[in-house]
Every structure is written in C-alpha cells, then in structure tokens.
Amino acid sequence: MEKMLVSEQNDYEKFIKASLVEPNDNTEESYIYSTFNDFLLRSQLDCKDQRLKKVTFDLKTRAVVAVRMDVENYKETRGYQITKDVGLLQSFEREYYDLVRSAFLKYNFQTRIGHMDGVFVAYHNTASICGFQYISTKEMDRRLYGNSLTGNYSFNSTLILLNEILNTVTAEIPDKDLILSFSANEPTQSLSLWVEGLSSTQNKVLPDNDSNSSPINTEAKKSKLSYPENPDLSENSNKDSLQDIEIEIDPNSDIRKYTIKVRTFINDELINGEYMLNSNRDKAECDWSITQELVSEPHKEYKIFRNKQRTYFTRGRSKDKVPSFVKMLREISKRCQQNTSEI
C-alpha cells in the first residue's frame, strides 16, 4: 500500500497481480547510516518535505481496528469506516489510542534511527483509505515518555543495553548463528532471555573465496517447523493450520537462558517504575546485570517457551466461537457497506 501512495496511477497499476505488464521498478531507495557503539544502523528514508524541521519523514499504513482484530477474515470487515473525530469506535480517537499503545514505540525508534521528523500515517480498511495523520517524533515523545529529553535518554539506554547483551552472548556462544527470544517478567521487574545457538546442521555451509575450498553443501537448511508436504493455501483451507504446527527444537542446538535486571537512578535516587527527566541538569544513570540461569532441561523448557510465543495472539480464542467484540465490528462493517452501496 505504501507503493500506491508514492506512485503515479499508471505506474502503480503495473504492480497489481492482474496486470499483464511486467513492472519495471527502477526507483532509487534512499538510506541514512549511523553508528552507535558496536552497531551500524540503517534506516530507509521514505519521503521528504522542506517545510519540516528535519525534512524527511516515514510513511506508514495502518489497518483500522476492525481489520486488526479479525485479520483472517478481513473481507468481512473491510467495510468499516472512520466517520468522526472522537468516540469509542469508527473514530480517529480510537485509531490514535490503539496506535499509541501498540506501535508508537516502534515508530519512535525508527524515526530516531533515521533522524526523521515524524511519520505520515494512512488509515485503511484494505479496500479504501479512511484518513491520514501526520505525527511528529516530538508528539510521540510526549505520549510515550512525557518529553523528548526522556525519550532521548530511553533510546540511548536501550541501545547500550542491547549492545551489552549481544556482546555477552556472542562471546559465550561464538561462531554460531543465534536466535534471541525475550520475555518480560513483571513480578520480578526483570527480562528473561533465551538464546539458541544453531547447530552446524541447521545452516548451509558457505564457501570462502578460496577456489580450492570445498563445494557448497546443498542440503536444505533444517526447518524449525514441520510443514505438510502439499499444504492447501487456498482461501477455503484451514487458515489456522500453520499456527497449529508445533515448533521443534534441534537437540544439537546450544540453549541458554539469561536474566537481565536494570536499575534506574535519577539524581542518585533509585526509581521504581516510571520516570521523567525535567531538565538537562538531571543526572540519569542506569546499571544492569546479565546472569546465566541454570536450567535442568533447557531444550524442553525452551520448546515450551517458543510454542507459548507462537500461540500468544490466538490464546483463549476458539475457532468455533467468535469474540463478542469481533462480532460487533463485523456488524458495523456490514452496515457501513450497505450504506455505501445505497448512496
């Protein structure tokens, strides 16, 4: 959909599946690069406007609440419309409220990495655009942190901590591809980290530049999921079939679990919970610890954890029972479609 927003109609139509014209996409992509400790950060630059303080901004497409709550059945909810500024449903207020809670942190980090002014959001129901909204990085800072000073400190602290985590695990499990899975533990105010060091059988052996090196091992990479040989991917197939496939863990993988604890001090005072910096004179410090836990059956516990992650968004839902909120959204969408067809 972002392609549609930045292309002329004749050019965009070439990218539609039904088009018989072979698309020729020669669009030059623009990126900005920066470094932070051991990181090399790259951000794609979508758009620019000289009227903005930082000139560039990001382009985002955002499905309305009816589509987000019922993605598998989006055709039933694509009639949903935004019809007012404020209100529980069918309003910009509802979409903005959900956006703050679910996507603002990601958007905020992206604009900071790209040194962008903000994001331009296009709300849609997959069939039509419902409205647009420009949200500056400064506004996101106010919603997330209270002000930009606290936002800058939080962003920098997060990158520093991630840098330390990656340095720790790569030093302890060297020369292997790693899968990192995080989980927040609210009662203990800590972060659990599972690290899976993939075994050599899970990766293709790539040759080096030496002409005398051995040929590429063409054995397919072991899949983490055991997919059916001939899956039915038609619209009438069971849409939950892939979600029902349990993740299997390679017994040769190196599995480790860590606990990460962070403490924040403002003006030498330990802060428990939320905080906000009021001026540049405030002294803010973080200290953290990364300790490895002893796990009696790491592969078994890790498998349970990964499959719990896999079913996180479907947990508590029944295939045969539609939640009442989703039913209401479907009914609203149906009424909107009927009203549109009558006009």
Side-chain angles (χ1 to χ4, degrees):
M1 186 169 287
E2 291 179 8
K3 190 74 175 177
M4 180 187 70
L5 294 174
V6 296
S7 303
E8 296 293 339
Q9 182 176 347
N10 292 337
D11 294 332
Y12 177 73
E13 287 176 350
K14 297 176 184 177
F15 293 92
I16 299 175
K17 287 184 178 180
S19 174
L20 299 177
V21 180
E22 185 69 24
N24 184 19
D25 189 7
N26 294 322
T27 306
E28 291 187 5
E29 304 290 355
S30 297
Y31 300 91
I32 185 170
Y33 295 83
S34 56
T35 58
F36 189 99
N37 287 357
D38 297 321
F39 286 118
L40 172 63
L41 305 176
R42 187 188 81 164
S43 178
Q44 183 174 346
L45 302 177
D46 289 341
C47 307
K48 65 178 181 179
D49 190 313
Q50 297 297 334
R51 293 171 295 179
L52 297 175
K53 185 177 181 180
K54 293 187 177 181
V55 182
T56 58
F57 62 95
D58 210 4
L59 185 62
K60 299 292 184 184
T61 55
R62 172 78 171 179
V64 292
V65 61
V67 175
R68 296 197 310 274
M69 294 293 104
D70 197 15
V71 175
E72 296 86 354
N73 303 289
Y74 71 93
K75 290 185 178 180
E76 293 187 46
T77 56
R78 61 184 178 184
Y80 184 94
Q81 293 287 340
I82 298 176
T83 60
K84 51 195 174 184
D85 290 336
V86 297
L88 183 61
L89 293 171
Q90 292 189 270
S91 68
F92 275 107
E93 181 185 28
R94 174 65 194 224
E95 301 305 326
Y96 185 79
Y97 176 74
D98 286 351
L99 193 65
V100 171
R101 295 166 61 241
S102 62
F104 257 28
L105 187 61
K106 177 179 69 174
Y107 290 0
N108 188 267
F109 274 33
Q110 288 175 338
T111 57
R112 273 192 157 80
I113 291 172
H115 305 282
M116 291 180 277
D117 189 85
V119 295
F120 185 78
V121 182
Y123 298 106
H124 67 91
N125 58 17
T126 73
S128 61
I129 299 292
C130 302
F132 301 95
Q133 184 176 12
Y134 183 77
I135 306 168
S136 67
T137 302
K138 189 174 182 179
E139 180 180 346
M140 288 188 279
D141 284 341
R142 287 199 302 268
R143 305 300 182 195
L144 292 169
Y145 312 106
N147 56 39
S148 294
L149 182 63
T150 310
N152 289 333
Y153 176 73
S154 298
F155 176 72
N156 292 339
S157 298
T158 301
L159 281 182
I160 292 171
L161 177 58
L162 181 58
N163 198 119
E164 291 294 326
I165 292 171
L166 294 178
N167 283 341
T168 298
V169 298
T170 53
E172 295 188 3
I173 312 177
D175 304 322
K176 285 188 177 183
D177 289 341
L178 305 177
I179 296 176
L180 276 65
S181 303
F182 294 88
S183 176
N185 190 334
E186 292 189 20
T188 61
Q189 291 292 294
S190 63
L191 194 65
S192 294
L193 167 63
W194 284 97
V195 180
E196 178 182 4
L198 301 183
S199 66
S200 57
T201 59
Q202 292 173 279
N203 299 281
K204 291 181 180 179
V205 179
L206 299 178
D208 55 30
N209 294 327
D210 186 355
S211 59
N212 296 322
S213 61
S214 58
I216 296 177
N217 181 359
T218 57
E219 180 183 356
K221 183 186 294 186
K222 279 192 177 180
S223 174
K224 307 297 287 182
L225 301 177
S226 302
Y227 291 102
E229 291 185 5
N230 298 301
D232 180 9
L233 299 180
S234 65
E235 289 189 9
N236 296 324
S237 66
N238 181 0
K239 298 170 184 175
D240 296 318
S241 58
L242 295 182
Q243 294 180 356
D244 292 339
I245 300 173
E246 191 174 71
I247 294 176
E248 296 294 338
I249 307 302
D250 191 314
N252 296 315
S253 295
D254 187 348
I255 307 295
R256 306 190 189 190
K257 186 180 182 182
Y258 298 84
T259 296
I260 302 164
K261 292 187 177 181
V262 179
R263 296 190 304 170
T264 301
F265 296 86
I266 306 296
N267 299 324
D268 298 323
E269 180 181 347
L270 177 63
I271 303 298
N272 292 312
E274 300 174 357
Y275 65 89
M276 186 170 69
L277 303 178
N278 296 311
S279 74
N280 289 319
R281 293 188 297 273
D282 284 335
K283 178 184 176 184
E285 294 179 308
C286 275
D287 66 25
W288 48 78
S289 62
I290 305 173
T291 55
Q292 184 176 348
E293 291 188 22
L294 295 177
V295 182
S296 57
E297 297 181 277
H299 287 77
K300 180 180 178 181
E301 290 191 30
Y302 178 59
K303 179 181 177 180
I304 293 173
F305 172 77
R306 287 295 304 277
N307 281 290
K308 185 178 179 181
Q309 282 187 320
R310 176 181 60 86
T311 59
Y312 182 84
F313 290 105
T314 58
R315 210 175 305 147
R317 284 194 177 189
S318 170
K319 296 178 183 178
D320 304 320
K321 186 178 180 181
V322 180
S324 57
F325 183 56
V326 173
K327 284 183 179 179
M328 180 173 61
L329 293 173
R330 288 181 183 178
E331 185 60 34
I332 293 173
S333 302
K334 186 177 180 180
R335 289 202 304 268
C336 289
Q337 283 181 318
Q338 290 173 345
N339 294 337
T340 302
S341 61
E342 292 173 359
I343 297 176

